[in-house]
Amino acid sequence: MKKIAVVTGAAGGLGKEIVRRILDDVNELWAVGRNLSKLDSLKAELGVKIVPLQMDLSDTKSYDVLKSRLSGGEYEVLWLVNNAGSGRFGPSAGFTLEELSAGITSHCTAMASLCNICISYMKKGSFIMNTASQSAFLPLPYMNLYAATKAFVYSYTRALRIELKDSGISVTAVCPGWIKTALLPEKLNGKTVNFPFLTTAEKVAKKAVKAARKRKPLMINSLPVRFVSWMQRHLPQEFAIKTWARMVRKYV
């Protein structure tokens, strides 16, 4: 039986750094993404263990690609990493219906669906790691859709951990702050954006995988981000929301 890892958003940023750290654990790593050329480049860089799976997670029909491949052989899913995601700043009314649907489906529906697909192929000692965000802890104007979907990821992941406790499958929610990747804009509305406590994908991946291996329920990547997350959860919520809105309104 082949031990495999399934990683979404595997071709770049945080996903790629996670792939590097768990690749030696498995016989194959199924790298999920929309852009086949990027997945092929990942395979060329990291070797034959990488199995590209082209899937658009905003389209629920694409989940059949994973279901069919799993059912077609003898596999044990040692790692499931739900990491794919994207988002942008802007008033909620400025999003098209397609953008709203794609954001909710790719962050929420895909994450829950891939968990359900993979769990029946997991055993005691397997790991699920779902990437949420510091944004999960507070409603954020002008990042409304992104923060709301990450709140779903966080809540779902923490509850799933308890459901799977007796099975020996470990579930970890990863809630980092700002990560320097290609998805993070340098300027918005002509203004250079200051991202506090900005860190690298490499540092977050190292801490995330370490936390998962230790079977921790939650990983927040640094002391400053933990402090801000604590304030998000314990300050009067309306005050915290309005404070955030004042900080970011100049960029949108």
Side-chain angles (χ1 to χ4, degrees), residues 113-134:
S113 297
L114 266 60
C115 284
N116 275 13
I117 290 169
C118 290
I119 283 169
S120 60
Y121 295 90
M122 304 181 94
K123 295 181 178 180
K124 182 178 180 179
S126 293
F127 304 94
I128 296 174
M129 188 162 66
N130 294 331
T131 302
S133 169
Q134 176 190 346

Side-chain angles (χ1 to χ4, degrees), residues 22-52:
I22 66 173
L23 189 57
D24 288 343
D25 292 1
V26 294
N27 304 115
E28 294 180 352
L29 189 145
W30 296 3
V32 177
R34 287 182 296 181
N35 190 315
L36 187 57
S37 65
K38 288 184 178 180
L39 297 176
D40 287 339
S41 295
L42 182 72
K43 182 171 183 175
E45 180 181 347
L46 298 183
V48 295
K49 282 188 177 183
I50 302 295
V51 177

Side-chain angles (χ1 to χ4, degrees), residues 87-194:
R88 67 176 178 87
F89 285 93
S92 296
F95 283 67
T96 66
L97 294 180
E98 290 77 14
E99 285 178 308
L100 292 169
S101 177
I104 293 168
T105 304
S106 58
H107 284 168
C108 303
T109 308
M111 183 270 301
S113 297
L114 266 60
C115 284
N116 275 13
I117 290 169
C118 290
I119 283 169
S120 60
Y121 295 90
M122 304 181 94
K123 295 181 178 180
K124 182 178 180 179
S126 293
F127 304 94
I128 296 174
M129 188 162 66
N130 294 331
T131 302
S133 169
Q134 176 190 346
S135 305
F137 302 122
L138 185 72
L140 298 180
Y142 310 113
M143 283 183 62
N144 188 1
L145 180 66
Y146 179 83
T149 59
K150 290 303 186 179
F152 176 90
V153 173
Y154 173 76
S155 178
Y156 183 94
T157 302
R158 294 301 301 269
L160 184 65
R161 177 183 176 86
I162 302 304
E163 292 183 16
L164 296 180
K165 183 178 179 180
D166 292 340
S167 72
I169 299 170
S170 178
V171 186
T172 301
V174 177
C175 295
W178 300 110
I179 306 173
K180 188 176 182 180
T181 70
L183 296 176
L184 210 60
E186 292 183 2
K187 289 189 175 183
L188 287 169
N189 198 23
K191 298 180 177 66
T192 300
V193 184
N194 175 34

